């Protein structure tokens, strides 16, 4: 996952969640606009519900409002893809600002996790009209003041369901995000992202001296969390054996048992040690196993991820360890960690002829890997200060693209042609944009004078910022771009991510991964688009 400032999961489900519940559906109708509630998972102490609003009219429905009662003892603990408020046992859900109109014959789904076993809602209304499943609220009653339910209770439920389907949704958690970004493991829960993730990549561990080493001990396992900062609302104590993000991840896994956590090593800044590691892969693997399986946090991690940028090629530094080095390192890791651990790798997405994919034997390593993550972003950016402007994460080629082979489909097709199974490839998504300044041309291909201003680094900005400061003005090659004043940005939106997920499904890919969690909105717009798009 390229830069230390920016980069850069259903492997199994615990037995308690392994028994799939038969979907139970309650349908309500208001004219030709209908709503159905489907229990997609029910594990006794909780359940997950998909709510589908279907437009049976002959005209688009630009806004909708669903109101319903839940039986006593059943509450909504988290939700996604709708804005939900609560008063007593009555809930109101309205369309998200980013969601478009529902076309005639089309539908839109949102969802929630409820406490207790599934019990059908009652007294449902759609856009104010009575639903067929119950009576309308008393019209003489003054509408109660609603209270937002976005924030979870102080003591959240101990079990939460995995996302539906068998495709992986893998998100990177940036170790340094706990500082200036003020993004902590708790945010994965409060944003609703945890229920959609299958795997979390913890980035990064270091590779100093050809060994796996701690990158930041304070962030990793020393930082003391207050009750307000902690995942479960319980403060760290001075004498507890494990604190920091590692302990927070442990708590998150207790709440969401389906999530697997993988420790990622390397990245743009810390890949230099892989050159020495390749000289003695067995010693490297032994050091990694000793660190990942340290008794203080062995239960936190389910495997190891190698983010070597780039074997037998140049990144921040150049490596000349040969085309077999990557394969040999992966083989040693699999041998040491065993067959039950997850061993994965983030790799180049350079699909050009004779490019970085051709520099290493990724196909030779695939049998020892659970999956590969080609980093299908950062193809273009203000590291070429004068432009031409181009989307940093194009899905396909387009007329005028600055470099051949620099698009996602080129990388996927090249890797598949080398014999790598599609099911072991995940499509990469960036939760950030890349931009230039001094640009006069609205469409791609314009000249620039340098990098556009960014919150943490010139030329880079989070999606959560760009969606408001520089909304998308066009799309090209399956991704979006925007021009605001003299600044020009490219980034993915929920809509373009939906298209990319359709591509991933059509190609038979194993799912998607993204860099990184803190770039998303506080209610997880982008991860929702990934999760919904892969269903």
């Amino acid at each position: 996952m390229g830069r230390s400032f920016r980069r850069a999961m259903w492997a199994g489900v615990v037995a308690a969640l392994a028994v799939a519940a038969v979907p139970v559906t309650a349908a309500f109708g208001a004219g030709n606009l209908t709503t159905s509630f489907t229990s997609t998972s029910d594990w006794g102490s909780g359940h997950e519900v998909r709510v589908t609003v279907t437009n049976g009219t002959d005209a688009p429905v630009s806004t909708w409002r669903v109101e319903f009662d839940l039986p006593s003892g059943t509450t909504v603990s988290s939700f996604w893809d709708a804005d939900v408020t609560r008063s007593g046992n009555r809930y109101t859900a309205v369309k998200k600002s980013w969601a478009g109109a529902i076309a005639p014959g089309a539908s839109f789904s949102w969802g929630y996790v409820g406490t207790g076993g599934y019990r059908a809602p009652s007294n449902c209304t759609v856009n104010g009209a009575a639903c067929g499943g119950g009576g309308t609220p008393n019209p003489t009653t003054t509408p109660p003041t609603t209270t937002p339910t976005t924030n979870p209770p102080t003591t959240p439920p101990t079990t939460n369901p995995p996302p539906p389907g068998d495709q992986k949704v893998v998100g990177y958690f940036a170790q340094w995000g706990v500082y200036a970004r003020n993004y902590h493991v708790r945010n994965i829960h409060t944003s609703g992202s945890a229920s959609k993730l299958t795997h979390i990549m913890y980035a990064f561990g270091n590779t100093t001296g050809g060994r796996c080493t701690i990158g930041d001990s304070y962030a990793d396992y020393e930082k003391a969390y207050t009750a307000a900062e902690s995942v479960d609302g319980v403060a760290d104590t001075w004498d507890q054996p494990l604190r920091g993000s590692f302990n927070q991840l442990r708590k998150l896994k207790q709440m969401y048992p389906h999530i697997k956590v993988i420790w990622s090593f390397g990245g743009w800044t810390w890949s230099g040690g892989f050159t020495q590691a390749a000289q003695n892969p067995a010693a490297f693997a032994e050091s990694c196993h000793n660190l990942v399986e340290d008794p203080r946090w062995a239960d936190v991690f389910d495997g190891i991820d190698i983010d070597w940028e780039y074997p037998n090629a140049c990144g921040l530094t150049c490596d000349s360890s040969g085309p077999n080095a990557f394969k040999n390192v992966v083989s040693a890791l699999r041998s040491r960690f065993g067959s039950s651990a997850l061993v994965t790798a983030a790799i180049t997405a350079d699909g050009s002829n004779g490019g970085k994919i051709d520099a290493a034997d990724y196909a030779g390593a695939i049998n020892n890997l659970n999956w590969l993550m080609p980093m299908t972003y950062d193809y273009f950016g203000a590291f070429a200060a004068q432009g031409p402007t181009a989307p940093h994460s194009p899905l396909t080629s387009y007329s005028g693209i600055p470099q051949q082979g620099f698009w996602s489909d080129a990388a996927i097709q090249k890797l598949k042609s080398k014999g790598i199974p599609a099911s072991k490839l995940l499509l990469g998504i960036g939760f950030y944009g890349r931009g230039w300044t001094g640009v006069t041309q609205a469409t791609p291909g314009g000249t620039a004078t340098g990098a556009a201003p960014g919150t943490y680094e010139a030329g880079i900005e989070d999606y959560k910022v760009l969606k408001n400061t520089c909304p998308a003005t066009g799309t090209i090659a399956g991704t979006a771009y925007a021009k605001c004043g003299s600044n020009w940005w490219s980034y993915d939106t929920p809509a373009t991510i939906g298209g990319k997920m359709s591509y991933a499904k059509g190609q038979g890919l194993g799912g998607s991964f993204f860099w990184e969690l803190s770039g998303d909105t506080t209610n997880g717009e982008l991860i929702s688009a990934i999760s919904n798009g892969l269903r």
Side-chain angles (χ1 to χ4, degrees), residues 32-34 52-61 101-108:
N32 287 323
L33 188 64
T34 61
T52 303
V53 182
T54 301
N55 180 12
T57 73
D58 58 2
V61 173
I102 306 177
S107 61
F108 180 88

Side-chain angles (χ1 to χ4, degrees), residues 2-170:
R3 316 286 177 197
S4 64
F5 49 76
R6 46 94 177 147
R7 287 254 247 218
M9 246 179 278
W10 187 312
V13 180
V14 294
L17 302 180
V19 180
V22 176
V24 178
T25 302
F28 305 99
N32 287 323
L33 188 64
T34 61
T35 300
S36 65
F37 292 71
T38 301
S39 174
T40 58
S41 183
D42 189 336
W43 57 102
S45 60
H47 60 277
E48 181 177 355
V49 176
R50 181 174 66 249
V51 186
T52 303
V53 182
T54 301
N55 180 12
T57 73
D58 58 2
V61 173
S62 59
T63 186
W64 50 262
R65 178 186 183 92
V66 177
E67 298 182 65
F68 57 96
D69 294 337
L70 287 181
S72 177
T74 300
T75 59
V76 172
S77 60
S78 63
F79 52 85
W80 51 93
D81 296 339
D83 291 320
V84 182
T85 53
R86 173 190 178 187
S87 178
N89 66 342
R90 184 129 186 107
Y91 291 83
T92 300
V94 296
K95 183 176 76 72
K96 284 282 192 185
S97 59
W98 52 260
I102 306 177
S107 61
F108 180 88
S109 292
W110 59 278
Y112 65 85
V113 170
T115 59
Y118 174 72
R119 296 169 66 189
S122 60
N123 299 332
C124 178
T125 63
V126 181
N127 285 358
C131 300
T136 59
N138 188 338
T140 64
T141 302
T142 302
T145 302
T146 57
T147 302
T149 60
T150 303
N151 293 327
T154 302
T155 305
T158 56
T159 358
N160 285 280
D166 58 358
Q167 290 180 301
K168 299 166 188 69
V169 180
V170 182

Side-chain angles (χ1 to χ4, degrees), residues 10 43 139 183 186 427:
W10 187 312
W43 57 102
Y183 189 92
R186 175 178 171 84
L427 186 67

Side-chain angles (χ1 to χ4, degrees), residues 26 41-42 73 134 136 147 244 269 302 328 339 343 385 412 439 495 510:
S41 183
D42 189 336
T136 59
T147 302
T269 304
D302 299 283
N328 293 341
S339 60
V343 181
I412 295 297
V439 180

Side-chain angles (χ1 to χ4, degrees), residues 300-320:
V300 174
F301 298 105
D302 299 283
I304 185 171
D305 174 67
I306 297 302
D307 189 346
W308 183 353
E309 302 181 11
Y310 296 96
N312 204 35
C314 294
L316 181 62
T317 59
C318 290
D319 172 69
S320 57

Side-chain angles (χ1 to χ4, degrees), residues 124-503:
C124 178
T125 63
V126 181
N127 285 358
C131 300
T136 59
N138 188 338
T140 64
T141 302
T142 302
T145 302
T146 57
T147 302
T149 60
T150 303
N151 293 327
T154 302
T155 305
T158 56
T159 358
N160 285 280
D166 58 358
Q167 290 180 301
K168 299 166 188 69
V169 180
V170 182
Y172 274 84
F173 178 88
Q175 170 190 66
W176 56 93
V178 303
Y179 298 117
R181 287 179 168 271
N182 196 30
Y183 189 92
H184 306 277
V185 175
R186 175 178 171 84
N187 296 100
I188 305 175
H189 170 59
T190 59
S191 65
S193 300
S195 63
K196 301 174 181 66
L197 286 164
T198 58
H199 299 76
I200 295 172
M201 297 287 181
Y202 185 82
F204 288 107
N206 207 337
T207 59
T208 304
R211 299 289 187 273
C212 282
T213 59
I214 287 289
D216 181 342
S217 61
Y218 179 76
D220 292 349
Y221 58 84
E222 294 171 354
K223 173 179 166 59
Y225 276 83
T226 65
E229 296 171 327
S230 181
V231 169
D232 60 356
V234 179
D236 290 340
T237 61
W238 67 270
D239 59 344
Q240 70 185 55
L242 185 68
R243 300 187 297 193
S245 292
F246 287 1
N247 185 51
Q248 294 298 305
L249 286 167
R250 173 185 284 162
K251 292 182 175 186
L252 188 74
K253 289 181 68 175
Q254 290 169 352
M255 291 168 57
Y256 299 88
H258 72 277
I259 292 179
K260 305 295 183 184
V261 179
I262 303 172
W263 196 345
S264 183
F265 288 82
W268 179 262
T269 304
W270 288 341
S271 281
F274 284 118
T275 298
Q276 188 173 345
Q279 297 170 12
N280 191 341
F284 173 70
E286 183 66 27
S287 74
C288 297
H289 186 269
N290 290 341
L291 184 58
V292 174
E293 295 298 323
D294 186 296
R296 290 172 290 178
W297 51 70
D299 62 314
V300 174
F301 298 105
D302 299 283
I304 185 171
D305 174 67
I306 297 302
D307 189 346
W308 183 353
E309 302 181 11
Y310 296 96
N312 204 35
C314 294
L316 181 62
T317 59
C318 290
D319 172 69
S320 57
S321 52
N324 294 325
F326 178 83
K327 176 179 66 176
N328 293 341
V329 167
V330 167
S331 176
L333 288 170
R334 175 56 73 194
S335 177
R336 185 62 188 90
F337 277 81
S339 60
S340 61
L342 295 171
V343 181
T344 67
I347 66 169
T348 177
D350 175 1
S352 63
N353 291 330
K356 289 184 172 68
I357 287 178
D358 292 327
D361 186 6
Y362 295 111
I366 196 62
N367 286 342
N368 286 317
L369 290 166
N370 291 88
W371 65 77
L372 279 173
M373 296 177 288
M375 295 178 284
T376 48
Y377 37 75
D378 292 340
Y379 284 112
F380 308 105
F383 37 80
Q386 280 70 52
T389 59
H392 81 83
S393 186
L395 176 62
T396 59
S397 184
Y398 63 92
S399 178
I401 195 167
Q403 188 161 345
Q404 291 301 304
F406 272 37
W407 58 87
S408 303
D409 181 60
I412 295 297
Q413 299 310 324
K414 171 163 281 214
L415 291 165
K416 287 169 69 174
S417 73
K418 291 179 178 292
I420 296 174
S423 61
K424 282 196 172 187
L425 293 173
L426 308 188
L427 186 67
I429 303 291
F431 279 13
Y432 60 92
R434 284 189 170 272
W436 290 262
T437 194
V439 180
T440 59
Q441 181 174 314
T443 55
T447 58
T449 59
T455 302
Y456 305 103
E457 184 78 19
I460 297 174
E461 189 57 272
D462 291 343
Y463 166 77
K464 67 175 181 277
V465 174
L466 290 172
K467 67 164 289 191
N468 297 314
T469 61
C470 195
T473 55
T475 58
I476 190 169
T479 190
Y481 63 87
K483 184 177 184 297
C484 306
S486 63
N487 295 330
W488 193 98
W489 291 93
S490 71
Y491 56 93
D492 274 310
T493 65
T496 63
I497 287 175
K500 288 185 174 184
M501 295 307 100
S502 294
Y503 166 87

